[in-house]
Amino acid sequence: MLDSSSLNIVDFERGDTCIIHKLFPSSWNFDFFSFIDNYYQKPYFRGYSLLYKNRVIGFGNILFFNPIGWLGNIIVKEEYRNQGLGQKITSHLLEAGKALGLQSFLLIATDLGIPVYKKLGFRQDRDYAFFSPGDSGIRKQEPNLAIEAIEKNDLDLVNQLDFKINGEERAPLWSQFKNQIFVIRDKNIVEGTYIKALG
């Protein structure tokens, strides 16, 4: 049984990256080092570490693009799971987001996290499919549309398209990756984007 008085959630410190990286299951195929390189100290990122007796045993973060916040990378060290700690981290992220004025929250749930998020009022909105190079069942198709590097004048179009689809103000995110964005164009209209660095 955990001593709840020894639990604490604190702002993430970059020096804890190695410890937190080891918490993620290999099946996630997640490069936490690259994630932190991309998002640490960005104005739309907050990360939090869960401490037990001053040792890091969990993590969660929020990316916020008014009016929506994305909760992510919610993880608890395996030996401390099934004791309500994932819910504790998620609740903390929700409170942090509300303090930032966010109105809606999204996340991508693993099977392990679904019961936790349902208890907190989340509902399933859509399904995501994740693919890796070489996955069987992915049929290679030659696109009918032109895929090309973004042009300077396209950034506003990317922001408008993203807001239309997702309802999020993510211009700072796109600006960060502006040299790595590819657009899908049909008759000079931007129909979609691809940013490899997002993972």
Side-chain angles (χ1 to χ4, degrees):
M1 188 79 177
L2 287 174
D3 173 11
S4 59
S5 67
S6 297
L7 285 168
N8 196 16
I9 296 179
V10 299
D11 290 345
F12 166 76
E13 293 183 8
R14 190 164 190 150
D16 292 333
T17 304
C18 287
I19 297 166
I20 294 167
H21 173 77
K22 293 175 184 174
L23 301 180
F24 294 99
S26 60
S27 62
W28 283 26
N29 196 27
F30 177 56
D31 185 348
F32 187 65
F33 295 104
S34 293
F35 176 82
I36 292 302
D37 285 344
N38 281 330
Y39 296 108
Y40 185 65
Q41 293 190 324
K42 293 294 188 279
Y44 48 83
F45 169 84
R46 297 286 186 282
Y48 301 94
S49 298
L50 173 65
L51 306 182
Y52 182 59
K53 297 183 178 178
N54 294 318
R55 289 178 27 239
V56 176
I57 63 163
F59 176 81
N61 65 259
I62 184 167
L63 297 171
F64 46 97
F65 306 103
N66 191 42
I68 295 171
W70 276 90
L71 311 186
N73 306 313
I74 300 164
I75 192 74
V76 173
K77 192 172 184 177
E78 191 169 8
E79 66 198 77
Y80 294 102
R81 290 180 192 159
N82 301 311
Q83 299 183 66
L85 300 181
Q87 185 171 338
K88 185 176 182 70
I89 294 169
T90 307
S91 295
H92 185 86
L93 295 174
L94 291 170
E95 290 305 312
K98 288 173 187 174
L100 292 164
L102 301 177
Q103 299 169 16
S104 298
F105 298 92
L106 302 171
L107 53 76
I108 298 172
T110 63
D111 290 340
L112 188 66
I114 288 172
V116 173
Y117 306 134
K118 280 188 174 178
K119 283 182 190 173
L120 292 170
F122 281 90
R123 61 179 173 76
Q124 184 171 344
D125 180 63
R126 65 192 72 168
D127 291 315
Y128 278 83
F130 293 89
F131 300 100
S132 298
D135 279 354
S136 61
I138 300 175
R139 204 173 70 215
K140 186 173 180 180
Q141 294 180 322
E142 292 300 322
N144 296 323
L145 306 175
I147 300 174
E148 54 197 45
I150 193 169
E151 296 176 7
K152 186 178 179 182
N153 296 335
D154 291 334
L155 197 54
D156 284 341
L157 297 174
V158 169
N159 288 326
Q160 290 169 22
L161 177 65
D162 184 59
F163 185 78
K164 182 179 177 183
I165 294 170
N166 297 307
E168 300 173 63
E169 292 285 352
R170 298 198 290 186
L173 178 67
W174 303 137
S175 296
Q176 175 186 344
F177 293 104
K178 64 185 173 189
N179 296 326
Q180 301 169 51
I181 298 175
F182 288 83
V183 294
I184 302 166
R185 198 184 305 279
D186 183 19
K187 298 177 184 171
N188 293 321
I189 297 172
V190 172
E191 298 282 356
T193 61
Y194 170 63
I195 306 173
K196 185 175 183 180
L198 281 179

